[in-house]
Amino acid sequence: MSIKTRAAVLKGPYDIELTERELTCGPTEVIVKNHLMGICGSDKNFYRGKLPPQTAEFRQEPGFPFYLGHESGGTVVEVGERVHEYKVGDAVMAFGWNNNFADYFKAPVTDLQPVPPGLDLDLASLGEPVGCAMFAGMEAQVKLGDVVAVFGAGFAGQVIAQCAKAAGAYRVAVVDVCAGKLRLAKELGADVVVNTAEEDPVAAVKDLTGGRGADVVVEAAGSEEAINQATQALAYGGKFVFYSWVTQPVRLDISRWHDDGFTFINACLVHHTREERFVWAPRALRPVAQGLVKIRPLITHEFKLSEIKDAFALVDKDDTAVKVVLRP
Ligand SMILES: [Zn+2]
């Protein structure tokens, strides 16, 4: 049996369209009816024509037309003859690039995970971005009394800042250029917000720590400038948590990385093995189900799949958009 679906294709920069596709389930594949889809920061980069190089994790050819989408979840409607892990009706979260901006998507078994207990299907559909950000927040190893500076108040930065606070940080500073995102960070518990359009973030973090610098910095902005600023804002012997997917070459001043003995934590869940992710994702999502970290306030805009052009136009232009979601 094959299933017809609308699915998004990026034909070139700023040129996104819904096309008709027909999905046929292979023996080790599963077809899922989407419940909700999220637009990722990386989708925005693709939309703007910035394609990543191929890596072990990112297996697609970086070129147009590009079949977009990886954040979603929903209900299994068909399983291949060799699939024993799932049955029709199961609720699943997607992890992987399977053209998820669609009514239905097809994925290998290894790109899916069961919805952990306590998560409703809206939040489970954001299991990938939430899981990745929560993993980073938990792996940042924030200790009671730490001062933490999070660079970037996008979706991941907001989640990581909440994790730092919940883990016992004395002060959490969030740095961004967008006032709307900083306001949200403050509402969700950040102690200090620094708008880089008005203030030097390195000086602000130094002020907060009597000149010492933050115990932990988190780079979640994905820019050359933010990586350099985070480097300068970190205390001697501090922890540098790296989250962003920086796909273009950047120029870094890394003298302090050596001389001031930084510890580096590469904190992106999906870039470890699938087996690790399988163990980690439920653990990373547990504090969300427990209500310790708030995700709903981060969903700032909702569209219908048929309005995907408008959704991407908004993501491209509106700085206050944190997580934009689509429903079929
Ligand atoms: Zn993503």
Side-chain angles (χ1 to χ4, degrees):
M1 193 178 85
S2 66
I3 289 179
K4 276 209 175 96
T5 183
R6 294 174 298 167
V9 59
L10 194 58
K11 290 157 70 188
Y14 302 98
D15 187 9
I16 194 165
E17 202 168 82
L18 281 180
T19 52
E20 285 255 311
R21 293 188 92 184
E22 214 161 297
L23 306 176
T24 308
C25 198
T28 60
E29 291 177 328
V30 173
I31 296 181
V32 179
K33 184 179 197 300
N34 261 331
H35 173 77
L36 178 139
M37 301 145 259
I39 299 180
C40 180
S42 60
D43 294 321
K44 178 161 76 173
N45 287 335
F46 284 81
Y47 180 71
R48 290 172 172 170
K50 284 192 231 162
L51 299 180
Q54 217 166 355
T55 61
E57 170 72 27
F58 188 77
R59 290 170 287 272
Q60 299 199 34
E61 277 284 334
F64 297 112
F66 188 84
Y67 291 91
L68 208 58
H70 63 280
E71 298 180 358
S72 82
T75 310
V76 171
V77 292
E78 197 176 333
V79 298
E81 65 213 30
R82 281 168 44 205
V83 173
H84 307 288
E85 293 87 342
Y86 300 101
K87 59 182 189 319
V88 170
D90 284 351
V92 290
M93 315 185 284
F95 285 81
W97 291 83
N98 293 298
N99 194 196
N100 295 48
F101 290 136
D103 301 299
Y104 296 87
F105 71 93
K106 180 176 80 165
V109 169
T110 46
D111 281 1
L112 298 173
Q113 288 198 211
V115 172
L119 271 196
D120 65 48
L121 207 46
D122 275 7
L123 293 185
S125 297
L126 297 175
E128 191 267 347
V130 176
C132 290
M134 286 296 300
F135 177 81
M138 292 163 85
E139 285 289 280
Q141 297 166 32
V142 172
K143 299 279 190 289
L144 194 63
D146 278 352
V147 173
V148 180
V150 179
F151 287 76
F155 184 77
Q158 300 272 358
V159 170
I160 295 166
Q162 289 186 59
C163 285
K165 200 63 201 167
Y170 172 58
R171 293 279 186 270
V172 174
V174 177
V175 178
D176 203 284
V177 70
C178 170
K181 286 180 184 168
L182 291 173
R183 213 175 305 123
L184 185 59
K186 196 96 206 240
E187 279 167 27
L188 293 171
D191 300 290
V192 178
V193 294
V194 183
N195 190 330
T196 52
E198 295 159 5
E199 222 182 320
D200 171 17
V202 178
V205 173
K206 290 271 173 77
D207 276 355
L208 194 63
T209 53
R212 214 170 50 84
D215 302 287
V216 180
V217 293
V218 180
E219 201 296 301
S223 71
E224 175 180 309
E225 195 185 23
I227 304 171
N228 283 322
Q229 288 168 342
T231 296
Q232 291 308 312
L234 188 54
Y236 181 81
K239 282 179 222 149
F240 192 113
V241 181
F242 195 74
Y243 182 81
S244 297
W245 188 14
V246 181
T247 60
Q248 312 300 315
V250 290
R251 203 176 151 82
L252 302 179
D253 181 1
I254 61 170
S255 169
R256 289 199 71 214
W257 292 13
H258 170 97
D259 237 27
D260 286 349
F262 293 166
T263 297
F264 284 86
I265 301 172
N266 186 4
C268 201
L269 174 65
V270 286
H271 295 195
H272 296 285
T273 64
R274 287 166 174 162
E275 289 75 13
E276 284 176 281
R277 183 200 77 211
F278 210 82
V279 174
W280 249 106
R283 215 179 288 170
L285 291 167
R286 191 172 63 165
V288 175
Q290 291 167 333
L292 289 170
V293 172
K294 306 264 179 287
I295 302 300
R296 288 210 177 263
L298 303 179
I299 303 174
T300 50
H301 301 80
E302 187 175 317
F303 288 87
K304 290 214 170 305
L305 179 61
S306 58
E307 302 165 328
I308 193 164
K309 275 178 199 281
D310 301 332
F312 269 86
L314 177 116
V315 164
D316 183 48
K317 286 195 191 72
D318 187 346
D319 282 356
T320 62
V322 176
K323 181 57 75 184
V324 177
V325 298
L326 304 162
R327 288 187 195 270

